[in-house]
Amino acid sequence: MENSTANNPEVIVIKETQKVLDVKCAILNGSSFEQMMMNNASFKDVCITGLKIEDANLSDLEIKYAQLGGAYIHDIGMPPEGHPAYDPAAKQRPLKFESCDLQGSTITDCNLSGVNIADCNLSGMKINGIDVDELLKAYQKQGE
């Protein structure tokens, strides 16, 4: 096996095979994974800034103790019409966000029907330009 350096890393090609990789204390910058299965894979204590996941089934994904500052999450849901995996009868299972710091985040053009928000700090939160705190105060006052 050829020695590699930081400027000239060894390239390992794994193709059309079934393997279990046990990777520890490794630098895999610039690696590419396409048309593969990694069911029940685990990443712990990793730095994967700039990671891009595209056209993926991430059902039952759990992200815990992660820093997501600057993340751009978009076009999430079932495959759209025209996609090979499109199924008009398929329904997206609900997502769950718990103990997340989403302050200053933006949610745009999303289907939030049936969403339940409970025990959250809503100060400064606006929906279509309307301050939610003020909206809730007006609603509670109307019920008195």
Side-chain angles (χ1 to χ4, degrees), residues 56-69:
N57 181 348
L58 299 176
S59 298
D60 302 312
L61 168 72
E62 180 179 346
I63 299 174
K64 184 177 179 181
Y65 306 130
Q67 299 169 24
L68 295 175

Side-chain angles (χ1 to χ4, degrees), residues 89-109:
K91 297 287 183 208
Q92 171 75 29
R93 289 189 293 148
L95 305 176
K96 182 176 182 179
F97 293 86
E98 188 174 288
S99 300
C100 297
D101 184 347
L102 301 176
Q103 61 183 318
S105 298
T106 301
I107 299 172
T108 306
D109 193 25

Side-chain angles (χ1 to χ4, degrees), residues 73-94:
I73 300 169
H74 57 101
D75 301 318
I76 303 300
M78 302 307 293
E81 191 172 347
H83 188 280
Y86 173 72
D87 177 356
K91 297 287 183 208
Q92 171 75 29
R93 289 189 293 148

